[in-house]
Amino acid sequence: MTLRELYDALGGSYDDAVGRLRSERLVSRMVKKFPNDTSCERAISAWEAGDTHAAFEAAHEAKGVCSNLYLIRLQERASAVCEALRPESESLGQAEVDGLVELLREEHAATVSEIARYVASL
């Protein structure tokens, strides 16, 4: 699997990532480190524990990490959770936020899995 194929599978933007980080080698190195980032998992576990503030903070962090790597689909999921939990925003119901958090969980798991496939192919 090439890095471009990985980005296609993840719904990311390979060209933008390489443009931002200036080399495919650096993008590859950063993507391989992504599974060690805990921000998505912290957002999910904080929401499940009822800590809305911590869930918001972690989702905001996840949104930034994903944005920097141009992992667009995962960034959109993290952003949706972040905006739903933003203190000054209109509150969504518990079930609606649960659904957004579940989408984040699924997309994060799929992303980590695809990255593992990429790493195994090197």
Side-chain angles (χ1 to χ4, degrees):
M1 171 183 280
T2 67
L3 186 59
R4 183 178 293 278
E5 291 169 335
L6 172 65
Y7 265 81
D8 289 344
L10 296 177
S13 176
Y14 168 86
D15 292 328
D16 288 334
V18 172
R20 170 172 254 159
L21 296 176
R22 301 278 190 226
S23 80
E24 183 175 298
R25 197 172 118 226
L26 183 55
V27 173
S28 179
R29 189 172 70 175
M30 299 306 289
V31 164
K32 287 188 281 187
K33 289 181 178 187
F34 178 79
N36 297 323
D37 179 80
T38 63
S39 56
C40 286
E41 292 152 334
R42 285 184 290 114
I44 294 162
S45 62
W47 173 252
E48 291 171 345
D51 189 344
T52 304
H53 178 72
F56 167 76
E57 293 291 327
H60 191 271
E61 182 180 332
K63 180 176 82 167
V65 169
C66 295
S67 180
N68 285 335
L69 290 174
Y70 287 91
L71 300 175
I72 306 302
R73 196 165 51 219
L74 184 56
Q75 182 267 329
E76 289 171 349
R77 300 289 190 236
S79 181
V81 171
C82 180
E83 294 310 311
L85 300 177
R86 187 174 296 282
E88 58 272 1
S89 71
E90 282 189 36
S91 297
L92 293 178
Q94 173 86 26
E96 293 167 306
V97 178
D98 284 345
L100 294 173
V101 170
E102 185 56 32
L103 291 173
L104 176 62
R105 179 194 321 275
E106 292 168 3
E107 191 62 40
H108 181 260
T111 298
V112 170
S113 177
E114 284 296 318
I115 291 171
R117 276 185 358 106
Y118 168 69
V119 170
S121 75
L122 298 178

